[in-house]
Amino acid sequence: MTHVTIREVCLRDGLQIEDPIPLSAKLELLEAVVATGVREVEATAFVSPSKVPALADAAALAAELPRFREAHGVEFSALVAGPGGAGRAVAAGMSSLEYVVSAADGHSHANVGRSTADSTHLIADITRIAHENDASIEVIIATAWDCPFDGPTDPGRVVDIATAAYELGADRIAIADTIGTTTPGRVTGLVNRVRPVIGDLPLGAHFHNTRGTGLASAYAAVVAGVTRLDSSVGGLGGCPFAPGASGNIATEDLVYLLRDSDVDVDVDLQAAIHAAGVAQKAVGHELPSALLRAGDRLLA
Amino acid sequence: MTHVTIREVCLRDGLQIEDPIPLSAKLELLEAVVATGVREVEATAFVSPSKVPALADAAALAAELPRFREAHGVEFSALVAGPGGAGRAVAAGMSSLEYVVSAADGHSHANVGRSTADSTHLIADITRIAHENDASIEVIIATAWDCPFDGPTDPGRVVDIATAAYELGADRIAIADTIGTTTPGRVTGLVNRVRPVIGDLPLGAHFHNTRGTGLASAYAAVVAGVTRLDSSVGGLGGCPFAPGASGNIATEDLVYLLRDSDVDVDVDLQAAIHAAGVAQKAVGHELPSALLRAGDRLLA
């Protein structure tokens, strides 16, 4: 039976587009999230507080994480956009970093004010900062299929970034469908291109359900050899700098699909549905999760 | 490039759970549907008007179909629940019938007041009625994966019905996820069981998106060899006799996914999005379609 590691991203990708919520509400959500059995949680991002006010409390949140790590054995990660953020993240005690490189120049400039080439260059610095501080580093390749500004992404650009990340010492690679446009056929194609150039590194994928295709893409990714998937309880989330991006795939919907398709996951379905309810309460509006409405199978 | 025939079911499966709408509104929706380029449309059902009041105008609608068939070359089908309905359907001029056999006794009794075995028996009569009137007959195997009353369906029961339908002269077979619970892994498994027992007959599949897995299941079905898929513009629809069943997979979401995954379809995406809007207006409430909200790819 295949095993897939689910990384819960509701606290970062899920909340970043929302109005800021109090740290206490984040901790309540975190309690519900760790109760699902999930092994990895993307907790926050060390980025500009003026660009992402919802995550301005990154250091304060990071200070709360050790007790959750000790109690539940969960690994927490933080997203960074450059060496400065990487430095702040490790100083705050984060032991797992994610660094985003946009494969499309249009999105790269809009997101971090740099070209793809310049962002790729920085992988070396950020990897050094991570490793000198006993942290691991994942390179997430954003707009891996399409860019809202540049159109379809040449898969060769993704392969080049993945190759560079591998050669520069990254610990994990992920490919991200930033604006929720890809589909199973293209997912299979890109995984087949990226998987051979990254040696034995774990390969993850990140999908949004903007066009209803997120779960189909996630399953195609697993079939093609991806062993890590990001998801967000309730389907919370989006990217404020990519027009139209909304709705990470919902953790509970993903767990339902994978478990039923004989893929082993760490996350308990009922606990994930409960956490989705906590997330919905935290943000105060309806979330797009299917399972939150329909529940597990209706059986007599 | 694989070709998949999409059958548009908004007028039958889509509308049957809704409050009845006037025939004029159905014809307006039909205009939008045939403008998508779709080659097959499930137009109505010849069933008890007291059980499905939304389709009580079946004969009146059937009388309108020849002009659409002549103008657009579309094939129209009608669902029937027994020999009586089959007789009324051919008398009304329908040239393509669908007969549902529930693989689970619980759903079969709730839906048509007969056991699975009794419904399977009737395939012979209904096939004779169809063929004597120059109509084709498709056997749709409902609750092919799960039943809201009996729980998971033994795949052997589905294989037995498919075998009987093949031997009794059905022209097409379909497997239906009546309550929207199946997932890609089980879809692949069942297609692999059914495909070998039905000779060269076309095999279709019917999915609901109740748990967000409908499109993933549809794609898995295509990969496994299914060449026909049902969908409904806007994701309109459900089954009033299966608790929790709601939302056919949306035609526009399916077209987006298949086209982007290099599967050839007859349906134009923009026209399907337009038809989804017409459907939404016809029923007067929001429909679950993703593309109706997000549109086609957002590209500069």
Side-chain angles (χ1 to χ4, degrees):
Chain A
M1 186 188 267
T2 305
H3 179 271
V4 166
T5 298
I6 290 177
R7 175 166 57 192
E8 175 58 49
V9 301
C10 68
L11 286 155
R12 198 284 300 175
D13 201 13
L15 287 177
Q16 74 172 11
I17 202 174
E18 301 285 342
D19 290 335
I21 66 171
L23 183 59
S24 60
K26 292 186 182 183
L27 295 175
E28 194 182 334
L29 177 55
L30 188 51
E31 288 281 5
V33 160
V34 297
T36 65
V38 72
R39 311 312 302 150
E40 298 192 25
V41 174
E42 183 187 53
T44 187
F46 287 81
V47 293
S48 160
S50 63
K51 285 179 84 174
V52 190
L55 304 181
D57 61 0
L61 179 64
E64 304 282 345
L65 299 177
R67 61 186 169 95
F68 288 96
R69 188 184 300 123
E70 280 154 32
H72 301 276
V74 175
E75 178 76 31
F76 291 102
S77 60
L79 186 141
V80 303
R88 293 200 305 279
V90 295
M94 299 304 303
S95 56
S96 176
L97 306 187
E98 306 157 20
Y99 172 56
V100 174
V101 177
S102 281
D105 277 316
H107 181 260
S108 189
H109 279 290
N111 202 27
V112 294
R114 287 191 301 265
S115 68
T116 297
D118 288 346
S119 283
T120 304
H121 238 58
L122 286 175
I123 294 174
D125 280 354
I126 290 164
T127 298
R128 185 183 47 73
I129 292 168
H131 288 173
E132 284 179 0
N133 290 276
D134 294 326
S136 68
I137 176 72
E138 171 168 330
V139 172
I140 300 178
I141 305 172
T143 58
W145 288 275
D146 295 307
C147 169
F149 310 105
D150 297 353
T153 303
D154 175 358
R157 292 178 67 94
V158 179
V159 170
D160 288 347
I161 299 164
T163 303
Y166 173 63
E167 290 173 351
L168 293 170
D171 299 296
R172 299 178 301 277
I173 313 279
I175 46 181
D177 180 26
T178 310
I179 56 169
T181 52
T182 197
T183 61
R186 287 200 290 154
V187 168
T188 304
L190 191 61
V191 172
N192 288 343
R193 293 281 302 269
V194 170
R195 185 62 268 177
V197 303
I198 62 168
D200 293 333
L201 294 191
L203 179 61
H206 177 105
F207 298 106
H208 288 240
N209 203 32
T210 316
R211 283 162 189 81
T213 60
L215 286 181
S217 292
Y219 187 72
V222 171
V223 170
V226 158
T227 57
R228 305 169 51 81
L229 290 170
D230 287 352
S231 63
S232 178
V233 291
L236 188 70
C239 172
F241 311 118
S246 67
N248 285 280
I249 54 173
T251 302
E252 57 276 19
D253 297 355
L254 178 64
V255 169
Y256 178 89
L257 184 154
L258 292 179
R259 182 197 67 173
D260 195 65
S261 290
D262 266 343
V263 176
D264 184 42
V265 292
D266 306 304
V267 179
D268 177 75
L269 181 57
Q270 292 303 328
I273 293 173
H274 174 74
V278 174
Q280 188 162 266
K281 183 165 153 277
V283 297
H285 60 79
E286 198 180 0
L287 295 180
S289 159
L291 267 283
L292 196 53
R293 290 189 302 273
D296 199 354
R297 285 188 220 171
L298 288 167
L299 302 177
Chain B
M1 186 188 265
T2 305
H3 180 269
V4 165
T5 298
I6 291 178
R7 175 166 56 192
E8 174 59 50
V9 301
C10 68
L11 285 156
R12 197 285 299 177
D13 201 13
L15 287 176
Q16 72 172 12
I17 203 174
E18 300 286 340
D19 290 336
I21 65 171
L23 182 59
S24 59
K26 292 187 181 182
L27 295 175
E28 195 182 334
L29 177 54
L30 188 51
E31 289 281 5
V33 160
V34 298
T36 66
V38 71
R39 310 312 301 152
E40 299 193 23
V41 174
E42 184 187 51
T44 187
F46 286 81
V47 294
S48 160
S50 63
K51 286 179 83 175
V52 191
L55 305 181
D57 61 359
L61 179 64
E64 303 282 344
L65 298 177
R67 61 187 169 96
F68 288 96
R69 188 184 300 123
E70 281 155 32
H72 301 276
V74 176
E75 178 77 30
F76 292 101
S77 60
L79 186 141
V80 303
R88 293 199 304 282
V90 294
M94 299 303 304
S95 57
S96 176
L97 306 188
E98 306 157 19
Y99 172 56
V100 174
V101 177
S102 280
D105 277 316
H107 182 259
S108 189
H109 280 290
N111 203 27
V112 292
R114 286 191 302 265
S115 69
T116 298
D118 287 347
S119 282
T120 305
H121 240 56
L122 285 176
I123 294 173
D125 279 356
I126 290 163
T127 299
R128 185 182 47 75
I129 292 167
H131 289 173
E132 283 179 2
N133 290 277
D134 294 325
S136 68
I137 175 72
E138 170 167 328
V139 171
I140 300 178
I141 306 173
T143 59
W145 288 274
D146 295 307
C147 169
F149 309 106
D150 297 354
T153 302
D154 175 359
R157 292 178 66 94
V158 179
V159 170
D160 288 348
I161 299 163
T163 304
Y166 172 64
E167 290 173 351
L168 293 169
D171 300 296
R172 299 178 300 276
I173 314 278
I175 45 181
D177 180 26
T178 310
I179 57 170
T181 52
T182 199
T183 61
R186 289 200 289 153
V187 168
T188 304
L190 192 61
V191 172
N192 287 343
R193 293 281 301 269
V194 170
R195 185 63 265 174
V197 303
I198 62 168
D200 293 332
L201 293 190
L203 178 61
H206 177 105
F207 298 106
H208 287 241
N209 204 32
T210 316
R211 284 163 188 80
T213 60
L215 285 182
S217 292
Y219 187 72
V222 171
V223 171
V226 158
T227 57
R228 303 169 51 82
L229 290 169
D230 286 352
S231 62
S232 178
V233 291
L236 189 70
C239 172
F241 311 119
S246 67
N248 286 279
I249 54 173
T251 302
E252 57 277 18
D253 297 354
L254 178 65
V255 168
Y256 178 88
L257 184 154
L258 293 178
R259 182 196 65 173
D260 195 62
S261 290
D262 265 342
V263 176
D264 183 44
V265 293
D266 306 305
V267 179
D268 177 76
L269 180 57
Q270 292 303 330
I273 293 173
H274 174 74
V278 174
Q280 187 162 267
K281 181 163 157 273
V283 298
H285 60 80
E286 199 181 357
L287 295 180
S289 159
L291 267 283
L292 196 51
R293 291 189 300 275
D296 198 355
R297 286 189 220 172
L298 289 167
L299 302 176

